[in-house]
Amino acid sequence: MLPQPAVGTDHPLHRFGPQTRRAQPASRHAAALAHENETLAHAMQLMGATMSYPHNAEIFGENEPAEYLYKVVSGSVRTYKILTDGRRQIGGFYLAGDIFGLQFADEHTFSAEAITDTKVLVVKRSTLAALAGRDAAVARELFTLAGRELKRVQERILLLVKSAQERVAGFLIEMAERAAAGNIVELPMSRQDIADYLGLTIETVSRTLTGLESTAAIEVPSSRRIVLRNRSALNRLNG
Amino acid sequence: MLPQPAVGTDHPLHRFGPQTRRAQPASRHAAALAHENETLAHAMQLMGATMSYPHNAEIFGENEPAEYLYKVVSGSVRTYKILTDGRRQIGGFYLAGDIFGLQFADEHTFSAEAITDTKVLVVKRSTLAALAGRDAAVARELFTLAGRELKRVQERILLLVKSAQERVAGFLIEMAERAAAGNIVELPMSRQDIADYLGLTIETVSRTLTGLESTAAIEVPSSRRIVLRNRSALNRLNG
DNA sequence: CGGGCGCTTGACGGACCTCAATTTTTGTGG
DNA sequence: CCACAAAAATTGAGGTCCGTCAAGCGCCCG
């Protein structure tokens, strides 16, 4: 998708050696930033390392110690859990710019995999915690982040109690809000991923998409590309 | 950043008059407490007001500004949302000791009602935020709280994709962990509440309970009282 | 060009919802 | 404390949505 993002080279300080490190408080940076709510992003870039994961590679596993916080630079990530009956439940999708690994427990409660070839910025949790202790703006941002995550999960609960059509419509609306270029949504994930996210089967997802297409609410020119033709109809379905 | 707020309530000493106030950091108090993770509970008691709500009374409404944080002193609370089709989705149940209203947004995303006659401790969010800015222990506790809430919601997602029997079994296990006296679980909420929590109908909930009773996994001596007879069977159902 | 994988489409059955009647529990006034 | 009414919960019958099983199609990659 993005050919060699310049972000990857965005000077984690360690590249230039320790002498570039300065003992200035992080809050100094905040003042220098146009938007103070970018303090965290800034800090992550400074303190983090960029890692690359190919298609389907594991980023971390369930029950591993949760040492790091991750930010998607490019590509896309799914978190998931395998249930005892063998089914897979997807915890969430994370696209470029999203932060994941924000469990507050000592261990990850989900595993994480790259859906497509993905670059992520990795920051030690303890480092961020220390920074948050010094810089209230960072602490506030972390709270905001936690709040967003909580809200997203709560909204998914609302989705999961609805009909298949409503779930798929809701999913498309969510993805459109997060990753739309106009009315065209490029889905990085497979039908199986979507099904495991929505608690449906691939057959039902597929049939529902076909159904939406037949009512002219969407078009599906290729399986990973969806064109939203009638958003208000989708919104109506979403409830 | 932290302009010495007049909120002299940051420790118990204020009870003995303003002259006892000292310019010591709040973290000192944490060390004085037996369990440092009770700082927040302590602060809430000092700074909060106790309010009483009768059966079915509204505590706050969806879309109202979220000014307060609440802690259940006695009784029980449900949060919920009315969907556009008229159905009601319950966001969560909160029992004695639980904290709710922990949205991070400016407005509540759910309404809250007392299930039974309930007393809650109410604390202004802004007061807590100020305290968290001064006292890192409080900030940490708030994070822990947010993490617990997030985990609970995530686990509910896992529940919602399962069969009716698994959902009900999971619900009983959850309630048993939170409010059990031995093997006896007293449910404060109605079947309708349970159904709206699990995304089922009251008929299905009722039938499922009857089914579990017929397999000797539970007993239902009265509709709000459940006796767990075979926890391992329930755990097996829960997946 | 052939094989494999992801996706779609079809037929069928079962789990859960809907509608309805009955029983049990709760609340109220005498 | 009992009688009655209202609400909550249970039970039953029938219908529907979605899961299961299976076949067929399209696309990518070797």
Side-chain angles (χ1 to χ4, degrees):
Chain A
M1 180 170 282
L2 296 180
Q4 162 45 9
V7 178
T9 62
D10 195 359
H11 60 283
L13 291 177
H14 69 275
R15 296 210 172 175
F16 302 106
Q19 74 280 6
T20 62
R21 304 228 1 229
R22 276 168 250 158
Q24 67 185 8
S27 56
R28 282 276 298 279
H29 295 301
L33 283 173
H35 304 85
E36 79 155 10
N37 60 352
E38 286 172 10
T39 309
L40 178 59
H42 197 78
M44 287 188 72
Q45 277 190 22
L46 290 175
M47 305 187 304
T50 301
M51 304 268 296
S52 290
Y53 297 90
H55 189 216
N56 285 339
E58 176 176 273
I59 299 175
F60 57 75
E62 190 180 341
N63 297 328
E64 286 180 11
E67 281 185 81
Y68 300 97
L69 197 67
Y70 304 81
K71 178 169 186 170
V72 179
V73 174
S74 66
S76 44
V77 172
R78 63 176 166 252
T79 59
Y80 69 95
K81 201 168 193 147
I82 303 294
L83 308 183
T84 45
D85 60 7
R87 285 194 356 269
R88 182 185 69 158
Q89 176 60 32
I90 287 201
F93 297 117
Y94 299 89
L95 311 179
D98 291 341
I99 288 178
F100 67 101
L102 194 73
Q103 279 80 354
F104 300 85
D106 295 336
E107 291 188 351
H108 287 295
T109 54
F110 289 90
S111 304
E113 284 176 352
I115 297 178
T116 56
D117 292 352
T118 298
K119 289 196 200 314
V120 296
L121 200 53
V122 183
V123 185
K124 251 201 159 41
R125 204 172 255 285
S126 55
T127 310
L128 270 185
L131 178 57
R134 270 176 288 128
D135 186 337
V138 171
R140 220 178 312 120
E141 271 192 80
L142 285 172
F143 266 114
T144 304
L145 224 54
R148 252 203 289 276
E149 186 75 7
L150 188 57
K151 188 168 186 193
R152 207 182 265 182
V153 179
Q154 283 175 337
E155 272 166 11
R156 199 130 74 78
I157 285 187
L158 297 181
L159 256 197
L160 287 180
V161 299
K162 298 185 189 173
S163 71
Q165 203 179 37
E166 290 170 315
R167 291 188 220 189
V168 173
F171 170 73
L172 291 178
I173 290 170
E174 182 195 342
M175 292 308 292
E177 285 170 355
R178 293 171 62 187
N183 280 327
I184 301 175
V185 182
E186 296 279 352
L187 300 175
M189 71 289 287
S190 69
R191 293 286 185 273
Q192 186 66 61
D193 288 336
I194 299 173
D196 291 347
Y197 181 69
L198 297 177
L200 298 170
T201 60
I202 48 174
E203 292 95 332
T204 299
V205 171
S206 181
R207 271 188 262 268
T208 305
L209 287 174
T210 309
L212 289 176
E213 197 171 16
S214 74
T215 65
I218 62 172
E219 279 174 49
V220 190
S222 79
S223 73
R224 303 273 176 119
R225 170 172 300 170
I226 312 263
V227 183
L228 308 188
R229 276 283 163 234
N230 189 343
R231 286 203 190 226
S232 56
L234 284 180
N235 281 319
R236 216 171 311 121
L237 286 176
N238 191 32
Chain B
M1 168 127 280
L2 319 169
Q4 194 337 71
V7 191
T9 51
D10 55 349
H11 61 74
L13 293 180
H14 81 282
R15 294 205 173 177
F16 303 108
Q19 73 283 5
T20 62
R21 291 195 54 199
R22 278 166 249 159
Q24 63 187 3
S27 55
R28 282 276 298 279
H29 296 300
L33 286 173
H35 305 85
E36 81 155 10
N37 59 352
E38 285 174 10
T39 311
L40 178 59
H42 198 76
M44 287 188 71
Q45 275 189 23
L46 292 175
M47 305 187 304
T50 302
M51 304 269 296
S52 289
Y53 297 91
H55 189 217
N56 284 340
E58 175 176 272
I59 299 175
F60 57 76
E62 188 181 341
N63 297 328
E64 284 180 12
E67 282 186 80
Y68 300 97
L69 197 67
Y70 304 81
K71 178 168 185 171
V72 180
V73 174
S74 66
S76 43
V77 172
R78 63 176 167 253
T79 59
Y80 69 94
K81 201 169 192 146
I82 303 294
L83 307 183
T84 45
D85 60 7
R87 284 197 355 271
R88 182 184 68 159
Q89 175 60 31
I90 287 202
F93 297 117
Y94 299 88
L95 311 179
D98 290 341
I99 289 178
F100 67 101
L102 194 72
Q103 280 81 350
F104 300 86
D106 294 336
E107 292 189 349
H108 288 295
T109 54
F110 289 90
S111 304
E113 283 176 353
I115 296 178
T116 57
D117 292 351
T118 298
K119 288 194 201 315
V120 296
L121 201 52
V122 183
V123 185
K124 251 202 159 38
R125 205 171 255 285
S126 54
T127 310
L128 270 185
L131 179 57
R134 271 175 288 133
D135 187 338
V138 171
R140 220 178 310 121
E141 271 191 79
L142 284 172
F143 266 114
T144 305
L145 225 52
R148 251 202 289 278
E149 187 75 6
L150 188 56
K151 189 168 186 191
R152 208 181 264 182
V153 179
Q154 283 175 337
E155 272 167 11
R156 199 131 74 78
I157 285 188
L158 298 180
L159 255 197
L160 287 180
V161 299
K162 299 185 190 172
S163 72
Q165 203 179 40
E166 290 170 315
R167 291 188 220 189
V168 172
F171 170 74
L172 291 177
I173 290 170
E174 183 196 342
M175 292 308 293
E177 286 169 354
R178 292 171 62 186
N183 281 327
I184 301 175
V185 182
E186 296 281 351
L187 300 177
M189 71 289 286
S190 69
R191 293 284 186 273
Q192 187 67 60
D193 288 337
I194 299 173
D196 290 347
Y197 181 68
L198 297 177
L200 298 171
T201 60
I202 48 174
E203 293 95 330
T204 299
V205 171
S206 181
R207 273 188 259 269
T208 305
L209 287 173
T210 309
L212 289 176
E213 197 170 17
S214 73
T215 65
I218 64 172
E219 279 175 50
V220 190
S222 79
S223 73
R224 303 273 174 118
R225 171 172 298 169
I226 311 261
V227 183
L228 308 187
R229 277 282 164 235
N230 190 342
R231 285 201 190 228
S232 56
L234 285 180
N235 280 318
R236 216 172 310 121
L237 286 177
N238 191 31

